[in-house]
Amino acid sequence: DTCNSTLPINDLTFNSSLLQCVEAWSVQNYILRYARTLDNTWSFILSAPDSSAFIGIGFSTNGQMTGASAIVGWIPSDGGNGQVKPYFLGGKSPGEVIPDRGDLKIVNGSLKIESVSSRLYMSFQLTAELPRQSILYAMGPAGFFPTSPDFRLREHRFMTTTTIDYVTGSQSVVKGSPHSKLRKTHGLMNMFGWGILIIIGAIVARHMKQWDPTWFYAHIALQTTGFLLGLTGIICGLVLENQTDANNVSKHKGLGITILVMGILQVLALLARPDKQSKYRKYWNWYHHNIGRVMIILAISNIFYGIHLAKAGSSWNGGYGFAVALLALAAIGLEVRKFLNK
């Protein structure tokens, strides 16, 4: 199917020759046809590959999924009847996506879906002076179809957001959410603070003591900078959670606060550091070194977990994984050299 091909469905309640056509989501080959076919009545046909999954189109006031209303359709691969349902997208968890709800004014009897030549054609009509211009497109997980009685959806496999001008047909892909900069800042601050500088500071303290007192001041500078960056990252995360009403970040948040507490304890430990000749110095060393090691392990784990939660993709995983690998190789090499010198 393309915008230049003839529409292969005929049993429509509106004149399909009036429809304007746009390549709505070229990556997934979604095509949207639409037109004002009556006064304050808009007709839509969403065409997509039949990939044994539900297809969805949402209409949002702010470009976000939460708070939008959507129309979702599917035809089970076992030959069952196709179904189309409106949903209210109250949140990002399956329990908050509620069927037969939403604020779209759907014309009675207009919800239809059929499969033609391995493509799904979902048609519907809305009563509106002008439909919302922020549109979400989604494709469900392969092999899953909502079933009675709750018709609950699983998390989509792919999703994109666009804005459309219904008069000209021009559209643009929304590159990120309004919170994407804050989310990126949260990730980068924590990654460089807790996940890189703190590790470098620990390596300096363990292997550079022959350059006394330079190693000590370098260690303090690195750990202080890392702590401040990490603190900034955690504050950004708390603000982000408040703005997005995220409900799947409790473990990530808990680990982050634990890491922050450990970082504060390390700073306080510096102020209470006994003299080298003190009999308590060995206990202080044990505490300071081991708390630091645990904090680094938790920080690396939580950074990768945060990348997973944000669905940031392989570039973030690969980039940070490469940095950790380099630091690990450097630490191992220095440990080997230290052992040989002994």
Side-chain angles (χ1 to χ4, degrees):
D1 192 20
T2 69
C3 283
N4 295 321
S5 61
T6 303
L7 191 64
I9 53 177
N10 299 311
D11 56 339
L12 297 171
T13 58
F14 52 85
N15 185 355
S16 62
S17 65
L18 301 175
L19 299 177
Q20 194 159 336
C21 182
V22 295
E23 293 183 357
W25 190 9
S26 57
V27 174
Q28 300 299 335
N29 198 11
Y30 275 42
I31 293 173
L32 182 66
R33 295 174 172 89
Y34 67 91
R36 189 201 298 264
T37 50
L38 292 172
D39 288 342
N40 291 335
T41 299
W42 291 79
S43 302
F44 294 86
I45 300 176
L46 179 64
S47 163
D50 188 350
S51 57
S52 297
F54 66 74
I55 62 173
I57 177 172
F59 296 84
S60 171
T61 57
N62 57 7
Q64 296 296 294
M65 170 184 168
T66 302
S69 295
I71 294 175
V72 179
W74 62 91
I75 298 180
S77 53
D78 61 5
N81 294 327
Q83 286 192 278
V84 183
K85 278 188 168 293
Y87 283 82
F88 173 65
L89 311 181
K92 294 187 177 182
S93 66
E96 295 174 299
V97 178
I98 306 171
D100 299 316
R101 295 280 296 275
D103 58 3
L104 297 177
K105 296 179 180 179
I106 302 169
V107 175
N108 289 335
S110 68
L111 297 176
K112 294 180 182 179
I113 189 168
E114 59 182 288
S115 180
V116 180
S117 301
S118 298
R119 285 188 69 86
L120 298 177
Y121 291 83
M122 183 171 71
S123 58
F124 57 94
Q125 291 180 290
L126 302 179
T127 300
E129 185 174 343
L130 184 71
R132 294 168 185 163
Q133 293 179 288
S134 293
I135 299 183
L136 320 172
Y137 298 99
M139 178 186 293
F144 167 78
F145 302 99
T147 56
S148 178
D150 56 2
F151 293 100
R152 179 168 292 188
L153 299 180
R154 290 183 187 169
E155 184 178 359
H156 47 71
R157 188 176 8 158
F158 305 108
M159 192 272 281
T160 192
T161 305
T162 68
T163 58
I164 187 170
D165 184 326
Y166 289 104
V167 176
T168 65
S170 62
Q171 64 171 2
S172 59
V173 177
V174 178
K175 296 295 183 183
S177 71
H179 311 294
S180 60
K181 288 185 178 179
L182 183 60
R183 184 178 288 109
K184 195 171 291 185
T185 301
H186 164 67
L188 289 173
M189 291 294 103
N190 285 312
M191 188 179 293
F192 282 106
W194 303 117
I196 293 179
L197 289 181
I198 293 289
I199 298 174
I200 295 173
I203 292 173
V204 166
R206 182 164 176 79
H207 297 286
M208 307 298 173
K209 289 184 178 177
Q210 62 269 36
W211 294 295
D212 193 41
T214 304
W215 76 267
F216 179 75
Y217 295 118
H219 174 67
I220 294 299
L222 286 164
Q223 303 306 72
T224 301
T225 304
F227 175 81
L228 292 175
L229 289 176
L231 176 62
T232 303
I234 287 176
I235 292 172
C236 288
L238 294 174
V239 173
L240 184 65
E241 181 196 23
N242 182 61
Q243 290 185 359
T244 59
D245 296 322
N247 56 12
N248 63 339
V249 297
S250 56
K251 291 181 182 177
H252 182 58
K253 177 182 176 182
L255 282 171
I257 292 175
T258 301
I259 292 163
L260 177 62
V261 170
M262 287 182 167
I264 293 171
L265 290 175
Q266 292 290 71
V267 172
L268 294 176
L270 176 66
L271 301 177
R273 187 169 64 115
D275 188 78
K276 287 183 179 180
Q277 284 72 42
S278 172
K279 65 179 180 179
Y280 299 108
R281 182 59 179 257
K282 64 178 181 180
Y283 302 111
W284 183 91
N285 285 340
W286 182 92
Y287 160 83
H288 184 60
H289 298 164
N290 287 289
I291 290 293
R293 291 183 182 112
V294 172
M295 185 178 73
I296 287 171
I297 292 170
L298 290 178
I300 293 172
S301 303
N302 205 30
I303 288 167
F304 280 118
Y305 184 45
I307 293 171
H308 164 73
L309 287 178
K311 296 180 175 62
S314 57
S315 61
W316 282 73
N317 273 317
Y320 183 60
F322 180 72
V324 171
L326 282 181
L327 292 171
L329 287 173
I332 292 170
L334 290 168
E335 287 292 336
V336 170
R337 191 187 72 167
K338 187 172 184 176
F339 175 79
L340 294 175
N341 287 340
K342 284 184 177 179

